[in-house]
Amino acid sequence: MTALTLSTAAAPGLRADAIVIGVAKGTKGPVVAPGAEAVDTAYDGGLAGVLETLGASGAEGEVTKVPAPSGFKAPLVVAVGLGAQPEKDAEYGAEALRRAAGAAARALSGTKKAAFALPLTDAADAGVIAEGALLGAYSFDTYKENGKDARNGKAPLAEAVLLGGRPRDKAYKAAVERAVAVAEELNRARDLVNTPPNDLNPASFAAIAQGAAKDHGLKVQVLDEKALAKGGYGGILGVGSGSAAGPRLVKLSYTHSKAKKHLALVGKGITYDSGGISLKPAGHNETMKCDMSGAAAVFAAVVAAARLGLEVNVTGWLALAENMPSGSATRPGDVLRMYSGKTVEVLNTDAEGRLVLADALWAASQEKPDAIVDVATLTGAMVLALGNRTFGIMANDEAFRSAIHEAAEEVGEEAWPMPLPEHLRKGMDSPTADIANMGERMGGGLVAGLFLREFIGEGITWAHLDIAGPAFNEQGPFGYTPKGGTGSGVRTLVRLAELTAAGDLG
């Protein structure tokens, strides 16, 4: 991963391969942002004009490269767009800085060392710029010859130096250390999502979790097929019954001696989703290795909480299965007895995520945590409703739903609160079982949320994040977001854990 340092050095005298500066979109053309004063001075105050001549406007994510001025030890200046120039006396937003740093880091793949001279006024700015650079430099190269960047055959940016940072200041150091921990774990989640399903199945995912638990002092429990059968986890077993790779339920626990609250996180971990007997058509199954993104997010968030030493107990539940068709697979019309004791009529085997989550949610409820949050690539309906970059939030408590929405916005994740309309519950009534796994087609994302609510213990605050849209980016990279697995939900979950530890959430 990209190395990160803080420096008080001036841009002209720093030995690096490139100097990254910010440029904003002003009313009369591009405007050089604070942090780049020394660079602009070396151009006799004409850097904005040079950039405009080259077609730069300051639009968000725009990258323009120019030769460094005489006297600079770095040969290249990289101007990255910050978007609209803030109003007078206003500062650049955290997400604008994060995205600019990410776009620059991605554009500098193949570079050994880059100095970032972006607007930096305090430790919080240092943290978001560091996070953006680390996330933007990400590359999944496990299956590439010689470990080269999948985008252009070049290695990721090796080192990022944050100019204007204060390496001896405790607040700056803490902000950067947090950024490193969160970014490294988020990138671990991306790696998991990008790993092909012939290498990542429930057992291998569980083994990775066990390894991380050993590294970070976490407690881990893995239930295999025999333990799941003995415990009566009919949902997880039913989904995994068609695959030669058996299902797993992983419990990953981080505890702190001073913790006063307990947060439970539950992740959907379908390591490959063919749809089962209700087989997905061609064009809808090629990226279904990403159907374990929720479990990856939960896993990453628990490890990040441990690395940050948060004063909160966090338990992660990874509901892992592979949904495949075979002679032993669950059929439409089958009835499963869930861990809670409820029975579910399976009308569509491609609505499997809610079945594995139901067992894990009930298991989490037995510990009576202060709150449960589940994360899942659950429904295509949510993608239709909110698009590819926004996840939906449903909850049994409006204040909790609002708190999660605010946390997501704070860390730069696009999210939107969604309702749980009671009239949609009737559509899941079954003449055979307690409930069906399908209901009305319209509002399918909300129906799924209502189904999950049936498996939350009485009196427990709960929220559901449907990350089906943003979990896997099939378009081109943007900002600090790569093509492929994105790590959606990780930063929101970590922020929730921080707020809970601080006593600011519930």
Side-chain angles (χ1 to χ4, degrees):
M1 185 168 171
T2 303
L4 191 72
T5 56
L6 294 167
S7 176
T8 57
L14 186 71
R15 293 188 182 278
D17 297 297
I19 304 292
V20 177
I21 65 165
V23 57
K25 192 172 186 178
T27 56
K28 297 181 180 180
V31 178
V32 177
E37 292 85 356
V39 181
D40 192 30
T41 298
Y43 281 95
D44 296 324
L47 179 54
V50 172
L51 294 171
E52 187 172 24
T53 300
L54 293 173
S57 67
E60 180 185 303
E62 181 183 76
V63 175
T64 307
K65 298 179 180 180
V66 297
S70 177
F72 272 58
K73 292 184 177 179
L76 184 69
V77 172
V78 177
V80 60
L82 290 161
Q85 183 182 21
E87 297 294 329
K88 187 178 180 181
D89 298 328
E91 297 179 354
Y92 288 88
E95 184 62 2
L97 295 176
R98 192 183 284 114
R99 290 184 179 183
R106 187 175 65 254
L108 286 166
S109 58
T111 303
K112 290 184 178 180
K113 183 178 181 179
F116 286 71
L118 295 172
L120 196 163
T121 59
D122 55 23
D125 287 343
V128 297
I129 293 171
E131 189 176 273
L134 295 173
L135 295 178
Y138 171 81
S139 175
F140 184 67
D141 51 29
T142 303
Y143 297 86
K144 291 290 181 176
E145 185 179 4
N146 300 323
K148 291 181 179 179
D149 190 315
R151 295 176 298 243
N152 54 19
K154 298 178 181 178
L157 173 64
E159 181 182 358
V161 180
L162 271 56
L163 301 184
R166 302 174 186 175
R168 297 184 180 180
D169 186 288
K170 290 183 178 179
Y172 278 76
K173 289 173 65 176
V176 170
E177 287 171 359
R178 179 193 183 278
V180 170
V182 173
E184 287 184 349
E185 295 312 318
L186 192 152
N187 284 340
R188 189 208 296 259
R190 288 172 169 177
D191 283 348
L192 287 167
V193 176
N194 288 325
T195 300
N198 58 317
D199 279 349
L200 187 73
N201 58 39
S204 60
F205 195 151
I208 291 170
Q210 288 174 312
K214 184 177 180 180
D215 292 340
H216 298 285
L218 307 173
K219 291 183 179 179
V220 63
Q221 179 184 12
V222 178
L223 301 185
D224 60 12
E225 300 99 316
K226 291 183 179 179
L228 290 168
K230 184 177 180 180
Y233 293 86
I236 297 176
L237 286 168
V239 172
S241 63
S243 174
R248 299 288 188 273
L249 178 61
V250 178
K251 178 184 176 184
L252 199 62
S253 304
Y254 162 68
T255 57
H256 193 286
S257 59
K258 296 182 180 179
K260 295 181 180 179
K261 296 285 186 177
H262 178 197
L263 182 64
L265 308 176
V266 177
K268 172 188 172 184
I270 304 300
T271 57
Y272 180 74
D273 182 19
S274 70
I277 297 297
S278 306
L279 194 66
K280 293 179 184 290
H284 293 266
N285 54 19
E286 290 82 357
T287 60
M288 281 298 102
K289 64 181 182 180
C290 78
D291 214 19
M292 37 59 67
S293 296
V298 166
F299 172 42
V302 175
V303 176
R307 291 181 60 174
L308 295 172
L310 302 182
E311 294 184 7
V312 58
N313 294 336
V314 184
T315 305
W317 299 83
L318 316 181
L320 309 176
E322 186 176 63
N323 188 23
M324 296 291 284
S326 75
S328 59
T330 294
R331 299 158 289 252
D334 282 356
V335 173
L336 304 177
R337 186 171 297 278
M338 312 298 281
Y339 181 54
S340 69
K342 285 186 178 180
T343 54
V344 176
E345 183 181 9
V346 179
L347 299 180
N348 186 332
T349 65
D350 197 22
E352 85 298 330
R354 64 200 71 183
L355 298 175
V356 299
L357 284 174
D359 276 354
L361 287 168
W362 189 254
S365 295
Q366 303 318 295
E367 297 190 342
K368 301 191 183 304
D370 295 284
I372 298 175
V373 179
D374 77 72
V375 191
T377 47
L378 205 60
T379 65
M382 195 58 61
V383 185
L384 292 173
L386 298 178
N388 292 319
R389 296 191 183 184
T390 305
F391 64 75
I393 309 170
M394 285 154 269
N396 61 3
D397 181 282
E398 287 192 15
F400 190 52
R401 184 183 64 183
S402 296
I404 293 175
H405 186 206
E406 291 170 7
E409 287 187 324
E410 184 181 349
V411 298
E413 294 207 86
E414 296 182 42
W416 197 252
M418 301 293 282
L420 289 172
E422 293 298 334
H423 69 272
L424 291 176
R425 169 60 182 85
K426 184 173 177 58
M428 291 184 284
D429 286 349
S430 165
T432 308
D434 294 320
I435 189 172
N437 77 328
M438 293 291 288
E440 293 184 30
R441 182 167 176 265
M442 300 302 172
L446 313 182
V447 170
L450 287 165
F451 180 90
L452 297 178
R453 191 182 65 178
E454 297 281 323
F455 299 90
I456 303 300
E458 186 176 354
I460 298 175
T461 301
W462 157 79
H464 161 57
L465 312 185
D466 191 337
I467 62 170
F472 196 83
N473 176 26
E474 295 186 62
Q475 309 301 317
F478 59 93
Y480 51 82
T481 302
K483 186 172 183 177
T486 65
S488 178
V490 174
R491 288 177 293 148
T492 297
L493 295 180
V494 173
R495 187 61 187 141
L496 283 175
E498 289 175 326
L499 291 169
T500 305
D504 297 330
L505 194 66

